[in-house]
Amino acid sequence: MMNELFAGLAVPSVEQYRQSWIPLGKHLSSSGRLNGGLRVITAADIDACDVRGQYSRFRCLVHGLRAIDERNPDLLRPDLKARINFTSRHNGTALRPREPLTPFVARVLKDAADRSVVATRERILSGREQIEALRNKPERSRFENVFLRVADGTRPARSEFDMFKYRKVAIAAASDLLVLTLPDAICFIIAIALRVEMPIECLRTLRRDCLKNPARGYVSIEYTKGRGGPRAKIKRERVRDGGINTPGGLVRLALELSRPAAERMADRGDPNADYLWVGFVAAGLPSWRRFSLSTHNFYAAIRSLGLVDEAGKPITKIVPARLRKTVKRDNYLRHTGHLRRFASDHSKPVAARHYAAVDGLREEHARSVAVAEGQLFDMAMMPLVLPPKEEVSALASGLSIGNQKLDAGAVASLVSGDADTFLGMCSGFWSSPLGRNDNGSCATAFTGCLHCSNAVFTARKLPALLTYLTWLAERRAVMTEAEWHERYSADHNRIMVQILPVFDAGDIEQARSTAENAAVAPALPPHLQRG
């Protein structure tokens, strides 16, 4: 009943709901009302189970009572119905999303998993040749017959164990020759998880028919997502398909290496024969069966890799769910934070809350904010550039600069050179937005015209702009990059990005010829020549 009621909720399993009822059962037992059923539960009983810091489990109890009341409206007491209208009397602490792996740890873990996959492939392929040669041997000893039986997944008897012990040969020397082992499967899962966006619990439950619609180097991996609700359980992810460096190639290799175990399990009617991650399991009764891919086994497999992080400390514990976080982080950066492309299998609020709002992306977010502020400032301070066609139109119909409107006569006076500075033309020398002297005149140096809303740039000022660019290049050659960038990059970018692209190539080439002709080239201001 619990499995049916809560199929659409984001919970790990029905076991969590069972655990949520234990505190209520203990409370009813202490008061001698355990045998009274749900009809004896009061609002005070629910409040007694509402303990600060246990919101997650207590939430399951309240949700369960709500579902029961929806199915049986006459079962619960009125005061209890009123109490379950809200979850807890305490403020639930917002859970911090898990952090992705650092780029260094992700890289070394991926490399180690890939090496393990290659080693597993070589071991099993060579093991199959060894077993085939042993099968074709005309006369085999008793130990060799036992060796073959163990390699085929048969559990050895006690006397056969003693034979291995007497010869100082490990059981794994035979059992690991034909199929995957638990550490092998975990390394395969890690290698796949660092290449796809699939949740780790979905990778654990892949079936042998999970590959669908291969075409043009891509294939779809079909998986079951238990947290997606009844209508969203079956999902597919389109991934690259090829060698063992692709997700599709890794799944195909795992299918091939686990095939003998799947066939043997199917022959004996094992219901788990349809799962992908099957092989030799040494724990309990050693045999070929489905692996227990628990978090504890993940930790043990990661410890066996012997990895160290960027600080030189051993990597002994990595929460499997962080693997998907790492892939999401990389995709987020690749899509430049575009949530519409980034939120592939969940809503945009979930993508922002669980995968984008992590400390590992805080530096990238700060850099993006700084770039956005710079772009907004550049847009707000976009210089007024008049190419020849627009200059003719302005001479005929006037021009708007900021909040002032210039008629045709004022525009003609402006472009004639009466209000020239070295780099542009000033439409408001006595109303500078960047600073004024005591007499009201502009107090900014001539390079400030590049960043002033009163400045106008026409084709007639292109030679001066190109001359200034040449001087900036000469200064860059004698200064450190950091110092030059701090002092002159804003001027350089304003000319190169926002002024020159407005003009045609012919206008710029003509201006360059003028700037290179010493007779007519505009002279640099004296303080620049001295610099």
Side-chain angles (χ1 to χ4, degrees):
M1 184 188 72
M2 287 292 184
N3 194 17
E4 178 186 355
L5 291 178
F6 307 115
L9 295 179
V11 295
S13 64
V14 177
E15 178 65 18
Q16 183 171 350
Y17 281 99
R18 190 186 73 84
Q19 293 290 333
S20 68
W21 288 77
I22 292 178
L24 178 60
K26 291 181 178 179
H27 178 73
L28 294 177
S29 297
S30 63
S31 59
R33 294 180 292 127
L34 182 61
N35 297 328
L38 296 176
R39 298 182 185 277
V40 302
I41 302 176
T42 63
D45 298 330
I46 302 302
D47 288 337
C49 299
D50 188 5
V51 180
R52 182 184 295 275
Q54 298 183 4
Y55 176 81
S56 178
R57 178 174 295 182
F58 181 73
R59 171 179 59 91
C60 298
L61 172 62
V62 174
H63 286 180
L65 290 171
R66 289 175 184 173
I68 292 172
D69 181 58
E70 183 178 352
R71 296 289 186 91
N72 302 277
D74 300 329
L75 183 61
L76 303 183
R77 296 164 57 102
D79 61 329
L80 178 58
K81 291 185 177 184
R83 173 58 185 83
I84 62 177
N85 286 333
F86 63 95
T87 303
S88 174
R89 297 188 182 276
H90 307 293
N91 293 328
T93 304
L95 299 178
R96 290 176 57 85
R98 288 191 180 96
E99 290 295 320
L101 302 178
T102 63
F104 179 86
V105 173
R107 184 175 66 254
V108 298
L109 181 60
K110 185 177 181 180
D111 293 343
D114 290 346
R115 289 193 301 268
S116 177
V117 167
V118 173
T120 300
R121 180 188 62 179
E122 299 302 324
R123 186 195 76 229
I124 294 179
L125 293 182
S126 62
R128 290 178 179 178
E129 295 177 357
Q130 179 182 346
I131 293 298
E132 189 63 25
L134 190 57
R135 292 186 199 280
N136 297 331
K137 189 176 180 180
E139 295 183 2
R140 295 191 297 266
S141 65
R142 184 186 175 197
F143 177 73
E144 289 173 339
N145 290 327
V146 173
F147 191 92
L148 284 176
R149 291 179 59 248
V150 174
D152 287 334
T154 303
R155 180 174 182 265
R158 178 61 182 272
S159 60
E160 295 170 342
F161 270 113
D162 294 339
M163 294 175 63
F164 278 90
K165 184 178 180 181
Y166 176 76
R167 287 167 174 79
K168 297 182 179 180
V169 177
I171 295 291
S175 61
D176 298 355
L177 289 180
L178 295 182
V179 292
L180 298 173
T181 62
L182 177 59
D184 298 336
I186 292 177
C187 288
F188 265 91
I189 292 176
I190 292 174
I192 298 173
L194 289 174
R195 290 175 167 87
V196 299
E197 294 188 359
M198 201 180 305
I200 192 69
E201 65 270 18
C202 300
L203 282 173
R204 290 168 171 164
T205 57
L206 286 179
R207 293 186 175 269
R208 304 194 68 80
D209 59 348
C210 61
L211 296 182
K212 307 288 185 181
N213 304 324
R216 299 182 180 180
Y218 287 86
V219 68
S220 296
I221 300 180
E222 185 177 85
Y223 60 94
T224 302
K225 187 174 182 181
R227 294 180 293 150
R231 291 181 297 177
K233 278 193 172 183
I234 304 300
K235 291 181 173 291
R236 291 185 180 182
E237 181 173 346
R238 195 73 175 171
V239 298
R240 292 175 55 233
D241 188 19
I244 61 173
N245 290 325
T246 64
L250 286 169
V251 174
R252 293 184 189 278
L253 180 60
L255 286 169
E256 172 60 24
L257 299 184
S258 62
R259 177 178 50 80
E263 293 175 352
R264 173 66 66 85
M265 294 169 62
D267 291 341
R268 68 171 186 249
D270 194 322
N272 292 324
D274 292 336
Y275 285 94
L276 172 59
W277 306 115
V278 295
F280 182 79
V281 180
L285 297 177
S287 63
W288 288 358
R289 59 180 188 267
R290 184 183 175 189
F291 295 123
S292 175
L293 301 171
S294 63
T295 303
H296 175 75
N297 290 334
F298 266 85
Y299 293 161
I302 290 173
R303 284 195 300 268
S304 67
L305 296 176
L307 306 178
V308 295
D309 59 13
E310 52 267 54
K313 297 181 180 179
I315 300 176
T316 59
K317 181 179 178 181
I318 292 179
V319 178
R322 296 181 65 189
L323 302 179
R324 189 190 192 206
K325 288 281 187 176
T326 304
V327 177
K328 287 286 190 179
R329 187 265 316 277
D330 296 340
N331 291 343
Y332 182 82
L333 295 177
R334 185 170 68 251
H335 294 145
T336 62
H338 199 301
L339 284 179
R340 191 173 184 178
R341 302 172 185 171
F342 171 64
S344 58
D345 59 345
H346 37 60
S347 64
K348 288 186 285 186
V350 171
R353 184 169 64 252
H354 290 281
Y355 297 100
V358 295
D359 291 340
L361 293 172
R362 183 169 298 174
E363 183 177 348
E364 185 66 25
H365 290 162
R367 188 183 303 112
S368 300
V369 170
V371 171
E373 289 177 346
Q375 292 175 350
L376 289 174
F377 179 79
D378 290 341
M379 292 173 61
M381 301 300 295
M382 183 71 69
L384 179 58
V385 183
L386 294 179
K389 292 182 180 180
E390 295 186 12
E391 184 178 349
V392 173
S393 176
L395 288 172
S397 58
L399 181 66
S400 295
I401 302 178
N403 296 326
Q404 56 179 332
K405 175 70 175 179
L406 301 181
D407 56 18
V411 174
S413 175
L414 178 66
V415 300
S416 66
D418 295 341
D420 270 13
T421 63
F422 177 65
L423 295 178
M425 293 168 284
C426 183
S427 62
F429 183 73
W430 299 96
S431 58
S432 172
L434 302 181
R436 305 179 192 179
N437 294 317
D438 294 339
N439 61 356
S441 61
C442 179
T444 306
F446 76 96
T447 56
C449 295
L450 294 172
H451 313 283
C452 181
S453 58
N454 289 341
V456 182
F457 302 93
T458 64
R460 187 166 53 83
K461 306 305 297 184
L462 283 177
L465 292 169
L466 295 176
T467 302
Y468 184 52
L469 279 179
T470 302
W471 182 85
L472 290 177
E474 294 173 353
R475 297 301 299 164
R476 194 169 195 170
V478 298
M479 298 174 66
T480 63
E481 186 66 22
E483 185 179 2
W484 183 91
H485 188 275
E486 181 181 358
R487 295 180 61 180
Y488 301 118
S489 64
D491 293 354
H492 182 270
N493 292 338
R494 181 73 73 179
I495 298 173
M496 294 296 297
V497 177
Q498 294 183 332
I499 297 179
L500 294 186
V502 179
F503 297 96
D504 295 335
D507 297 331
I508 296 177
E509 188 61 32
Q510 182 178 356
R512 185 170 285 111
S513 300
T514 303
E516 293 173 354
N517 189 349
V520 295
L524 285 171
H527 70 280
L528 292 185
Q529 294 177 349
R530 290 194 300 269

